[in-house]
Amino acid sequence: MSASPKTMADAIRVLSMDAVHAARSGHQGMPMGMADVATVLWTKFLKYDAAKPDWADRDRFVLSAGHGSMLQYALLHLTGSKAVTMDELRNFRQWSSKTPGHPEYGHTPGVETTTGPLGQGLATAVGMAMAERHLANRFGEDLVDHRTWVIAGDGCLMEGVSHEAISLAGRLKLNKLIVLWDDNNVTIDGVATIAETGDQMARFKAAGWAVKAVDGHDFGKIAAAMRWATKQDKPVMLACKTLISKGAGPKEGDPHSHGYTLFDEQIALAREAMGWPHEPFTLPEDVTKAWRKAGKRGAKDRKHWEKALKHSDAKAEFERAMAGDLPADAFAALDAHIAKCLADKPVNATRVHSGSALETLTPVIPEMIGGSADLTGSNNTFVKGMLPFDAPDYAGRYVHYGVREFGMAAAMNGMALHGGVIPYSGTFLVFSDYSRAAIRLGALMGARVVHVMTHDSIGLGEDGPTHQPVEHVASLRAMPNLLVFRPADAVETAECWKIALQHKTTPSVMALSRQKTAAVRDAGGDLSAKGAYELAPATGEAKVTIFASGTEVAVAMAARATLQAEGIGTRVVSTPCWELFDRQPAAYQAKVIGQAPVRVAVEAGVRFGWERFIGEHGAFVGMHGFGASAPYERLYKEFGVTPEGVVAAAKAKL
């Protein structure tokens, strides 16, 4: 006799209780409450094959309420994941296990995105749904035709990024996106209504979603609601009314059972309430068979898809795009552009140079999808000939994200994780504060996303200190696995774009200027790939080395000319990417830093981190507070970020 849906769902509940209890930490409340919904999804609707969890046309499952990670781990184990064994469940939240406290992309096979920071899973899923629709247009629905399913909780929907994501998805009519809201009215502090009065269904509906409420513990009604959801022409939110810690006997529905609150006595009572007589981490044979069968449901679809791919004229191009490999000629036009810039020495803002580089890249790398948070003309992210990404066909490669920096960055993470897309998009560098949480998650996941951040200093000028980033570059440089580029001229900007696109598992930030700056490079050689390099040697013995990035490299070169004219041998080192410099051999780093007795750094930002180059006692010319509102020329003069200021700082140390 086959196991009933209730018994199958109870298997999720007991595994969640047992794992959380074994770890003495975690959250069993949500997995137990959403077990019935998840059982219907994974046994009847989710296109998934446990034998090959990474096949390209699978449905994406995102647990936005990542604290309930045991729900996902239980599902992966039950459906036959080779990676998530029973021993891994026993080792929940332990060192080196495949079952960390929150789901981690790249660590546990079957986990599509890292979640835990509430709301980001939902926002990331929007990007996955965007990628699916675009690739369906590019390659046809025989190769790309799948859904993105999200489980989100009250906390996810309270987070501000949920508003951005919901609004964007509704505007784009992403009908392959379905959100299952765990409507249990519980947060850590108690019932959700102590902090929330909003009507979530009305909010989603107002944003252009189809919505329906369903009893989250009635298997038939859940299935009917999901069937209805798959037939809509817009994104769908199903409000699944549930009881937290469903099945936990006296603790069922307890608003204080969000976290680890079921101990030996409570777990015994829960087992009795569910009619589950089995020992911890033990499953009856009928339950195991039923779940393994569910895990094989997608095998037929996968094999049909593999046959379609084998006979498709687009097979090679599809596999290249999904593998994240660039076309063979990806940088031919860019290299020619660099050669021309070396000859012509254009004087312009680095944001303009970035736009020129993109003009050579987007026509030959069809995976690149650009956009901006309502600053297209300022960010220079639009390339002539691009069409807007929009319903009904989603063929366009330029996304109008609106003023939604956080949602934009999270969506780009989702597009990159989906595969087949290399997203880039722009805003002002100061607004990286809004998108920082998604940038961090992208760095943690190793998502190839390029964040184009223009107006990178007091060089922004008249808009004043609210819009002038001074600490932002330093704070972004502190983030692991993030390449922060601050190029000096057209050549460095183009080189930095090449590097960013070559790094499959690292996001990048392009910090670009509003104001024009002089060309500084005379030679090619992809020097920016070293992170820092000697741009100009000293004539005679080096007494001073000036380190600089971005527009201040030109300031450093002008200061060098003055010092050299006075007989003071001066080197200039350009530092477009500190992270890449740190990866160079120690001998190279020592050579670049050099032996000059005086070291000076100049950057129109704060000093933090520059000790890496100038030591504790080196001189720094830059910002020591916030900026001001004035034309940028006056600001540089008033704050002393000038050739004269660098010369004076160097002489003071001689």
Side-chain angles (χ1 to χ4, degrees):
M1 184 175 177
S2 179
S4 68
K6 178 189 179 300
T7 306
M8 294 175 72
D10 284 345
I12 297 172
R13 295 186 172 101
V14 295
L15 288 175
S16 298
M17 288 192 308
D18 291 344
V20 170
H21 188 45
R24 301 296 192 268
S25 72
H27 308 79
Q28 82 288 315
M30 190 280 278
M32 296 179 74
M34 284 295 281
D36 298 334
V37 174
T39 296
V40 174
L41 174 62
W42 282 62
T43 60
K44 294 182 178 296
F45 292 93
L46 190 73
K47 188 166 67 170
Y48 167 78
D49 182 2
K52 197 163 184 180
D54 60 346
W55 70 290
D57 201 35
R58 68 193 180 279
D59 282 359
R60 270 55 170 182
F61 173 74
V62 174
L63 186 67
S64 187
H67 56 275
S69 56
M70 266 309 303
L71 176 67
Q72 186 157 20
Y73 301 147
L75 288 163
L76 290 172
H77 171 75
L78 289 165
T79 52
S81 166
K82 293 179 181 178
V84 186
T85 63
M86 191 65 84
D87 280 343
E88 294 292 350
L89 299 187
R90 290 189 182 96
N91 287 318
F92 178 52
R93 290 182 157 231
Q94 304 308 303
W95 177 259
S96 79
S97 78
K98 294 292 184 185
T99 51
H102 292 86
E104 295 181 24
Y105 171 79
H107 184 80
T108 308
V111 170
E112 302 286 2
T113 179
T114 299
T115 57
L118 294 178
Q120 279 205 63
L122 169 56
T124 303
V126 170
M128 293 178 180
M130 292 169 67
E132 189 274 341
R133 287 292 79 198
H134 178 73
L135 293 172
N137 177 277
R138 180 179 172 190
F139 293 108
E141 293 196 343
D142 285 346
L143 298 186
V144 184
D145 185 15
H146 55 264
R147 301 184 189 279
T148 302
W149 300 83
V150 183
I151 288 181
D154 289 295
C156 291
L157 302 189
M158 288 181 185
E159 289 285 357
V161 71
S162 75
H163 296 261
E164 298 182 26
I166 292 164
S167 178
L168 179 62
R171 167 61 186 81
L172 294 174
K173 298 183 173 66
L174 298 174
N175 70 312
K176 292 299 188 77
L177 175 64
I178 301 174
V179 171
L180 308 170
W181 170 34
D182 179 18
D183 180 14
N184 62 16
N185 190 34
V186 173
T187 58
I188 291 175
D189 283 355
V191 294
T193 47
I194 64 173
E196 175 65 70
T197 59
D199 183 335
Q200 298 292 3
M201 293 183 67
R203 176 160 74 101
F204 275 81
K205 187 174 182 179
W209 290 56
V211 298
K212 183 183 283 288
V214 63
D215 181 344
H217 301 305
D218 185 314
F219 293 97
K221 290 180 179 178
I222 295 167
M226 289 184 181
R227 198 172 298 113
W228 171 84
T230 62
K231 298 176 181 178
Q232 303 308 303
D233 61 357
K234 59 185 69 174
V236 175
M237 188 273 267
L238 298 180
C240 305
K241 192 63 181 176
T242 64
L243 292 171
I244 197 165
S245 293
K246 171 70 174 175
K251 283 286 186 178
E252 179 177 285
D254 184 345
H256 300 292
S257 63
H258 166 86
Y260 175 40
T261 54
L262 302 186
F263 310 114
D264 289 330
E265 181 182 350
Q266 290 81 17
I267 290 174
L269 290 172
R271 277 180 149 76
E272 182 179 341
M274 285 185 274
W276 190 275
H278 314 288
E279 293 296 312
F281 298 106
T282 302
L283 299 172
E285 186 177 353
D286 63 330
V287 169
T288 299
K289 283 185 177 179
W291 270 113
R292 292 294 189 270
K293 182 179 179 181
K296 296 174 181 176
R297 274 184 59 256
K300 183 177 179 181
D301 286 333
R302 174 178 61 81
K303 290 173 183 177
H304 178 78
W305 176 84
E306 288 173 343
K307 184 177 180 181
L309 178 64
K310 182 179 179 180
H311 294 98
S312 172
D313 293 339
K315 180 177 185 295
E317 184 68 356
F318 178 82
E319 290 180 332
R320 180 195 64 74
M322 292 302 293
D325 296 331
L326 299 173
D329 61 347
F331 301 123
L334 183 73
D335 289 339
H337 166 71
I338 290 173
K340 189 174 188 302
C341 290
L342 285 167
D344 296 348
K345 295 185 170 22
V347 175
N348 219 321
T350 54
R351 62 177 174 138
V352 175
H353 295 320
S354 173
S356 297
L358 285 170
E359 289 174 0
T360 73
L361 293 167
T362 57
V364 292
I365 306 178
E367 293 75 58
M368 292 182 71
I369 294 185
S372 172
D374 200 44
L375 289 168
T376 294
S378 297
N379 298 147
N380 296 83
T381 44
F382 178 80
V383 174
K384 187 177 180 180
M386 277 185 161
L387 298 175
F389 174 90
D390 203 355
D393 60 13
Y394 305 99
R397 293 168 56 200
Y398 195 83
V399 183
H400 292 285
Y401 287 100
V403 188
R404 303 184 182 103
E405 294 87 358
F406 192 174
M408 174 178 75
M412 288 198 291
N413 284 342
M415 295 164 81
L417 294 175
H418 179 280
V421 170
I422 303 174
Y424 73 91
S425 200
T427 186
F428 287 174
L429 179 58
V430 76
F431 299 136
S432 65
D433 283 342
Y434 286 149
S435 53
R436 184 182 181 89
I439 295 173
R440 183 182 188 273
L441 214 56
L444 178 60
M445 295 186 289
R448 179 169 50 183
V449 173
V450 184
H451 303 272
V452 179
M453 302 286 186
T454 67
H455 298 58
D456 68 346
S457 72
I458 57 170
L460 173 143
E462 293 85 347
D463 275 352
T466 59
H467 285 51
Q468 292 166 359
V470 293
E471 78 279 20
H472 295 72
V473 170
S475 70
L476 290 166
R477 285 171 177 157
M479 192 179 292
N481 196 43
L482 177 68
L483 298 179
V484 181
F485 295 103
R486 191 164 186 257
D489 65 1
V491 174
E492 280 196 1
T493 303
E495 289 178 343
C496 291
W497 266 107
K498 179 189 289 190
I499 298 161
L501 294 173
Q502 288 172 330
H503 279 74
K504 282 187 178 183
T505 59
T506 312
S508 300
V509 168
M510 295 284 180
L512 305 168
S513 74
R514 179 198 183 204
Q515 78 276 24
K516 293 181 178 181
T517 188
V520 296
R521 275 281 287 279
D522 291 319
D526 286 333
L527 298 176
S528 297
K530 297 287 189 181
Y533 61 93
E534 184 179 80
L535 176 64
T539 300
E541 181 184 359
K543 298 291 183 65
V544 176
T545 298
I546 307 173
F547 300 88
S549 78
T551 49
E552 286 72 68
V553 175
V555 173
M557 290 294 285
R560 173 185 177 273
T562 298
L563 290 166
Q564 284 287 172
E566 296 180 18
I568 302 171
T570 303
R571 306 166 62 236
V572 171
V573 172
S574 179
T575 64
C577 184
W578 294 13
E579 296 77 20
L580 292 178
F581 183 65
D582 285 343
R583 299 178 188 178
Q584 304 310 309
Y588 176 81
Q589 294 185 35
K591 180 181 178 183
V592 169
I593 291 174
Q595 298 297 318
V598 173
R599 286 184 264 171
V600 182
V602 55
E603 186 174 62
V606 297
R607 176 179 176 131
F608 188 85
W610 274 104
E611 290 78 11
R612 171 74 182 81
F613 294 94
I614 62 176
E616 292 294 331
H617 304 293
F620 177 72
V621 177
M623 300 298 293
H624 302 279
F626 294 112
S629 176
Y632 80 88
E633 299 93 340
R634 181 65 180 270
L635 291 171
Y636 270 79
K637 180 180 179 181
E638 292 293 339
F639 289 109
V641 188
T642 61
E644 295 78 14
V646 175
V647 169
K651 287 182 175 179
K653 291 287 185 179
L654 283 170

